[in-house]
Amino acid sequence: MTETKNLLEIRGLYKSFGSTKANINVDFTLRPGEIKGLIGENGSGKSTLLSQIAGIYGHDAGEMFVKGEPYDPASPLDANRAGIAMVMQELGVIEKLPIAINMYLGRLDRFTTAGVIDRKLLRKEANAVLEKWDLPLFGKNAMPSGAIEHNKIIELARALSVEPDILLLDEITQSLSHNNRDKLYNIMNKFKALGKSVIVITHDIDEMIAIADSITVLRDGEVVGDVVTAETTAEKIRYMMVGREISGDYYRADTAPDFRDEVVLKAEGMTLPGEIEDLSFELHKGEILGFCGLSDSGIHSVGKAIYGLSKLKAGTVHLAADGTRIRNGATALKRKMAYVPKDRDNEALMLHARIVDNATLPSLSIVKSFLDFLSPRKLKKLSNEMIDKLTVKTTGYAQNIDALSGGNKQKVNLGRWLAKDLDVLILDCPTRGVDVGVKAYIYQLMKDAKAQGIAMVLISDELTEVIGMADRLIVMKDGRPVRNIERGDSFTEHSVIEVMI
Amino acid sequence: MLSALSEATNEKQPTLNEKTRTLIFGIGVIIVTVLIFFLFNILTHGVFLEWSNIKILLSQMVWPSFMAWGMTFLFACGYTDLSWGAVVVLGSFATGVFGNAYGLAAAIIAGVVVGSVLVFINFCVFAFTKIPSWIAGISLAMVYEAISVLLKTNEKTGPLVEKALAKDLQFLARLPYSLIILAVGFVIIYFIYNKTSIGFNIRSIGGNPKVATALGVNLKRTLLWVGLITGLLIGVTSYIQESYSGYTTVKTGLTSIFLIFQPLAIALLADIMQKRINVVIAVPICSFLLYAVFNCLTLMHVESGTLQEAMLALFLIVFGIVGQRKVKGVVK
């Protein structure tokens, strides 16, 4: 039995996946009304720890207590019954089912009599939960929209519908735009006020410091620090995470636009009904063009449209050099363009394939050998280079990609383009789910690419990221570009938010 | 708060605009159907719209509708089962044998039990092994075909055709009984698919099995439910098919798969229409429309063994393409 003042207590937890030790002797406590941050490099075992608390994985050794009682959930439903609910980093919703069903899936029995669901009662209860947490109500048979951010909000509503005492949030903020993040913080504060607790994972250390009462730091599966937020700094957290000093100065130091006059790509009157309205811009050699906006601003449709993956109703995207129209991904790839989408699981990676298959797919032309045979030696070399460069935590290049943590998947997603000779690189939330060390490395790669003259489009929900890296920023609202801001004195979060709202 | 969700959730709500579009779609379908039927009538020199022909059409569409409803569940849970043709053959075979020997009750029970048990066995295989369902389905189809040949061979009656089911046992193939059984089937299926937790669990494992499992939906148990529900549907199909045809042709060399093509075309067409009409309602409508086309072709003396099958294949491809439009990674 443990002291009852802790809502959750974990002692000596171990978890392994084959030879990979995900959690080693983890001790962890959570008090009522506490917002606890959980931070660590990609693959440090954060999500695994939350998954064990949420009943998704069992543990190999150790004990857990909830409100002083032994706790060993056999399933997520077991965890729900104990008052614990989780919003997972990469799960999603079932888009073919109505939102209310999605919220209560697996727990429909309470609305069911003789197998028949009382849909009216279901909707009523779902709306009561949404109302309680100040979320918008929805209509009869409303369906998920499919957008990653909207799905994440439905997942949040689903977790809240459990009426948990402990809410586990695994990198949810990085899927949300600026306005919805504020709303999530309000929900977390309400939790705190009610004496309920939240464990939150985020790679944004500044955000973590702003929202958490205390922070537990994991490194290579072990707890290396447990600090009160008010008594620490971002630098100290970074040091604990990676075991060495990392400069906080990730971003560009210059304060003026710096790119060449040569136009590489032109977009004219791009229109995608309901998503983009009449968007035009020119992208120059060595330029980083940023896009930002609130949810439904359409920024995440821009990347796909530029790369030719969406069929435009009006307008064109073409290369300035020879006027080649970019109508599809094949043309874009052939013309030295690359696209790193935000939704890596559904739009970027072959989840059931190996790292080597994913890493080398865009570069098959350079690993071809005699008579077009793919050289196993070159495939291996290319994959291993990418793994080493981006410090992908893996058992080797032949490991299946779905066995990697979210952040490590993102490293492969981005890293596979690095071997290519590119003219245009489109990045949609490139640092989503990656740790501070890799984040710094990605920004450095962007700076190097910029110096080489590669033109980049940077779409991001992280205002600090676009402000820190872009030469120019297009702020979008309701699918339309509302302001074009150049790097300079007015390039501040405050001024950008003013335009966004 | 959270305008994002508000907009997201409202996106697919039946707004007035959408309701109007659905109404226009419905009226459009009716107008086009009427025009096509008049065209068919002209092409068949007035025979198509004769009541006797309509009666044939209505009787014809019943068994494929039941199998297509089964396929709706199959599609919803994300599995494939190519053995249903062989199951129907064995079920019909049992209907004939037991019906002729012991009467109507035995005919119905034999068909339903054989169909249900075999399909349930299939889903047990899907649930408890990691064999892809389409491979397991083909293997099981060969087993079922072999069993029906074995049973037939033991009787030593020559050709692989079971003797006709007694006429008085075939009443469910005739109007109004065929329409009554269709209506009863429709109510039950509509209810299960749209109103029960089992229906939603089935749709959830097809929608995203990872999410469904993470939220506590028991994958194996749900699959066994699909086996039970579709098994009953295929069992009923077996009896009605035997009643309608009056005999069973034992299939070999996987030719039993041909039996599922027409219901497959119906299910695919219904799948397209479900953007506007509930898929369970769409199945009998599509069944009627599809059989109207084949009926017209027959009346126009188009050969059933070649050109009609080619037409069916064409329908399947066209419906497949239209049905998968805007589905990521399938057809751009």
Side-chain angles (χ1 to χ4, degrees):
Chain A
M1 197 63 97
T2 183
E3 288 177 59
T4 49
K5 68 176 181 183
N6 288 326
L7 195 53
L8 171 72
E9 182 160 348
I10 294 172
R11 291 181 196 158
L13 205 72
Y14 283 85
K15 178 70 186 173
S16 297
F17 298 100
S19 58
T20 308
K21 290 184 170 65
N23 285 145
I24 304 164
N25 196 22
V26 170
D27 292 333
F28 184 89
T29 56
L30 181 70
R31 294 187 313 275
E34 182 180 16
I35 297 177
K36 170 81 93 177
L38 191 57
I39 202 163
E41 286 187 283
N42 297 132
S44 60
K46 307 177 297 292
S47 297
T48 305
L49 179 60
L50 285 202
S51 297
Q52 288 169 88
I53 300 170
I56 295 159
Y57 299 143
H59 51 271
D60 300 336
E63 295 173 297
M64 290 196 277
F65 300 90
V66 170
K67 294 176 190 168
E69 296 297 320
Y71 169 69
D72 185 11
S75 68
L77 285 183
D78 248 11
N80 290 169
R81 282 189 278 269
I84 297 175
M86 177 170 174
V87 182
M88 292 167 73
Q89 185 187 359
E90 305 286 346
L91 186 63
V93 299
I94 296 167
E95 290 174 14
K96 288 180 175 177
L97 296 181
I99 291 171
I101 295 284
N102 262 295
M103 278 176 66
Y104 287 95
L105 194 67
R107 296 176 289 131
L108 290 169
D109 287 352
R110 54 192 284 205
F111 307 103
T112 306
T113 311
V116 180
I117 298 173
D118 184 343
R119 296 282 295 272
K120 215 172 176 181
L121 180 65
L122 173 68
R123 270 196 304 277
K124 196 176 152 194
E125 290 240 351
N127 279 337
V129 170
L130 296 168
E131 212 164 358
K132 179 178 173 183
W133 296 103
D134 211 6
L135 299 170
L137 309 182
F138 51 82
K140 197 178 168 187
N141 296 329
M143 306 289 278
S145 75
I148 191 167
E149 180 170 11
H150 299 160
N151 287 354
K152 214 35 113 182
I153 292 167
I154 295 168
E155 289 180 70
L156 174 64
R158 181 162 67 200
L160 293 171
S161 74
V162 172
E163 298 189 9
D165 293 324
I166 303 172
L167 180 64
L168 313 175
L169 303 174
D170 190 353
E171 293 189 37
I172 174 173
T173 52
Q174 295 196 315
S175 299
L176 302 178
S177 53
H178 186 78
N179 52 330
N180 283 332
R181 281 184 197 193
D182 286 343
K183 288 158 188 170
L184 176 68
Y185 301 153
N186 286 340
I187 290 173
M188 289 165 72
N189 288 333
K190 276 188 190 174
F191 250 71
K192 193 175 163 65
L194 289 166
K196 294 165 179 261
S197 304
V198 181
I199 306 175
V200 58
I201 295 177
T202 171
H203 283 296
D204 186 334
I205 298 175
D206 295 329
E207 179 189 45
M208 177 75 88
I209 287 174
I211 61 177
D213 299 315
S214 61
I215 300 170
T216 297
V217 185
L218 285 175
R219 190 165 74 221
D220 296 328
E222 292 181 86
V223 174
V224 292
D226 192 7
V227 293
V228 175
T229 311
E231 297 168 2
T232 193
T233 61
E235 284 69 32
K236 283 181 186 170
I237 300 282
R238 277 188 206 113
Y239 184 82
M240 279 192 275
M241 281 172 64
V242 296
R244 64 179 192 280
E245 294 286 351
I246 285 192
S247 163
D249 184 22
Y250 314 129
Y251 303 124
R252 289 169 57 180
D254 57 342
T255 53
D258 178 22
F259 51 83
R260 302 174 207 177
D261 291 337
E262 185 186 335
V263 175
V264 179
L265 180 135
K266 272 186 186 179
E268 287 170 353
M270 277 168 62
T271 300
L272 199 59
E275 295 173 58
I276 304 170
E277 290 293 330
D278 196 20
L279 173 65
S280 301
F281 60 87
E282 287 183 346
L283 183 64
H284 301 80
K285 197 165 185 176
E287 181 184 20
I288 299 177
L289 175 61
F291 280 87
C292 67
L294 299 178
S295 57
D296 300 313
S297 61
I299 55 169
H300 298 296
S301 304
V302 172
K304 270 186 214 169
I306 298 171
Y307 199 70
L309 298 177
S310 305
K311 200 174 177 188
L312 296 174
K313 191 185 175 193
T316 58
V317 178
H318 55 266
L319 298 177
D322 57 3
T324 303
R325 280 274 300 269
I326 305 299
R327 296 174 192 269
N328 52 53
T331 309
L333 185 69
K334 210 177 284 176
R335 300 311 305 263
K336 297 185 179 179
M337 289 175 70
Y339 170 50
V340 178
K342 180 180 180 182
D343 189 355
R344 58 178 167 251
D345 277 8
N346 293 307
E347 295 181 352
L349 298 172
M350 302 178 288
L351 286 181
H352 301 299
R354 300 171 303 166
I355 292 174
V356 58
D357 304 320
N358 278 282
T360 56
L361 188 66
S363 311
L364 291 179
S365 56
I366 58 173
V367 289
K368 269 193 242 173
S369 206
F370 179 63
L371 287 177
D372 266 11
F373 284 111
L374 295 176
S375 158
R377 189 181 54 80
K378 287 180 183 171
L379 287 170
K380 186 179 166 183
K381 185 170 174 274
L382 194 66
S383 310
N384 282 337
E385 277 174 7
M386 189 272 299
I387 288 169
D388 292 341
K389 256 188 191 174
L390 277 86
T391 58
V392 179
K393 283 198 176 169
T394 169
T395 56
Y397 70 93
Q399 189 177 18
N400 267 11
I401 199 116
D402 56 2
L404 300 186
S405 70
N408 280 297
K409 281 184 200 162
Q410 181 67 355
K411 291 179 190 176
V412 178
N413 181 22
L414 178 67
R416 61 185 177 172
W417 295 105
L418 302 179
K420 282 189 72 77
D421 174 23
L422 295 175
D423 284 341
V424 178
L425 175 59
I426 303 157
L427 301 162
D428 193 348
C429 298
T431 58
R432 186 169 86 92
V434 300
D435 61 57
V436 62
V438 180
K439 213 173 202 178
Y441 183 67
I442 289 173
Y443 295 142
Q444 188 53 49
L445 285 174
M446 287 175 70
K447 289 178 200 169
D448 294 346
K450 180 177 167 59
Q452 287 167 29
I454 296 174
M456 280 170 276
V457 171
L458 173 63
I459 300 156
S460 182
D461 294 321
E462 308 267 350
L463 266 188
T464 48
E465 182 169 272
V466 271
I467 289 170
M469 295 302 296
D471 292 291
R472 273 189 308 140
L473 187 55
I474 294 180
V475 183
M476 289 182 67
K477 199 171 175 181
D478 299 327
R480 290 180 181 279
V482 285
R483 183 77 65 84
N484 196 329
I485 310 173
E486 288 216 336
R487 191 173 192 80
D489 293 339
S490 59
F491 224 50
T492 63
E493 272 194 68
H494 181 73
S495 61
V496 174
I497 289 170
E498 261 185 357
V499 181
M500 276 163 59
I501 296 169
Chain B
M1 290 288 269
L2 288 186
S3 60
L5 179 59
S6 179
E7 283 160 36
T9 53
N10 285 329
E11 232 171 63
K12 292 182 183 177
Q13 285 174 35
T15 57
L16 185 65
N17 197 16
E18 197 170 325
K19 279 180 183 170
T20 311
R21 265 187 272 139
T22 303
L23 187 68
I24 291 168
F25 175 80
I27 294 168
V29 168
I30 293 168
I31 292 171
V32 170
T33 306
V34 169
L35 288 176
I36 289 174
F37 281 11
F38 275 112
L39 177 68
F40 285 177
N41 203 39
I42 294 164
L43 290 172
T44 57
H45 308 290
V47 179
F48 182 79
L49 286 180
E50 279 178 11
W51 176 235
S52 57
N53 189 51
I54 297 294
K55 279 204 299 188
I56 292 170
L57 248 180
L58 288 171
S59 301
Q60 243 176 354
M61 62 173 269
V62 179
W63 78 261
S65 298
F66 274 89
M67 195 188 272
W69 276 325
M71 284 176 177
T72 300
F73 278 97
L74 200 61
F75 293 165
C77 74
Y79 279 71
T80 306
D81 189 350
L82 295 173
S83 75
W84 285 4
V87 174
V88 168
V89 169
L90 260 184
S92 302
F93 194 94
T95 296
V97 171
F98 285 91
N100 288 342
Y102 304 107
L104 179 65
I108 294 172
I109 291 168
V112 172
V113 167
V114 169
S116 305
V117 169
L118 294 182
V119 173
F120 189 72
I121 288 170
N122 293 359
F123 274 84
C124 287
V125 174
F126 302 161
F128 295 107
T129 71
K130 291 196 172 178
I131 307 168
S133 60
W134 68 273
I135 294 176
I138 286 180
S139 310
L140 290 161
M142 288 194 274
V143 172
Y144 301 150
E145 284 186 353
I147 293 172
S148 54
V149 171
L150 197 67
L151 290 170
K152 195 64 223 159
T153 309
N154 282 346
E155 280 198 3
K156 294 178 181 167
T157 51
L160 296 177
V161 178
E162 175 55 47
K163 64 188 170 189
L165 182 69
K167 281 274 181 199
D168 58 324
L169 300 180
Q170 295 180 24
F171 76 99
L172 275 185
R174 294 190 291 270
L175 291 179
Y177 307 106
S178 58
L179 287 185
I180 291 169
I181 198 164
L182 187 73
V184 171
F186 166 74
V187 171
I188 295 169
I189 297 304
Y190 184 86
F191 205 65
I192 294 172
Y193 193 84
N194 296 296
K195 304 283 180 190
T196 65
S197 51
I198 292 162
F200 282 111
N201 284 350
I202 291 169
R203 289 155 69 182
S204 75
I205 64 169
N208 190 333
K210 209 170 149 189
V211 175
T213 313
L215 296 179
V217 175
N218 187 320
L219 191 69
K220 281 182 185 156
R221 196 191 304 157
T222 307
L223 267 182
L224 295 182
W225 270 110
V226 183
L228 192 67
I229 294 164
T230 54
L232 283 167
L233 285 168
I234 297 305
V236 173
T237 303
S238 302
Y239 174 73
I240 301 171
Q241 197 276 339
E242 177 73 359
S243 300
Y244 181 76
S245 326
Y247 61 88
T248 306
T249 306
V250 175
K251 315 279 186 186
T252 56
L254 286 178
T255 50
S256 62
I257 291 177
F258 182 75
L259 266 179
I260 69 174
F261 284 162
Q262 289 180 359
L264 184 62
I266 293 163
L268 283 173
L269 186 54
D271 197 53
I272 297 163
M273 288 176 79
Q274 77 168 315
K275 287 168 191 162
R276 301 277 174 221
I277 305 173
N278 187 290
V279 69
V280 181
I281 302 172
V283 161
I285 295 172
C286 297
S287 185
F288 184 74
L289 292 176
L290 194 76
Y291 275 87
V293 173
F294 288 115
N295 180 273
C296 176
L297 290 173
T298 305
L299 292 173
M300 289 169 67
H301 308 292
V302 175
E303 283 181 57
S304 65
T306 52
L307 287 175
Q308 286 198 25
E309 274 67 20
M311 288 288 287
L312 178 62
L314 193 64
F315 277 135
L316 270 175
I317 292 166
V318 171
F319 295 160
I321 291 170
V322 177
Q324 299 295 341
R325 271 184 73 213
K326 293 185 182 171
V327 175
K328 190 168 62 180
V330 182
V331 179
K332 301 279 182 193

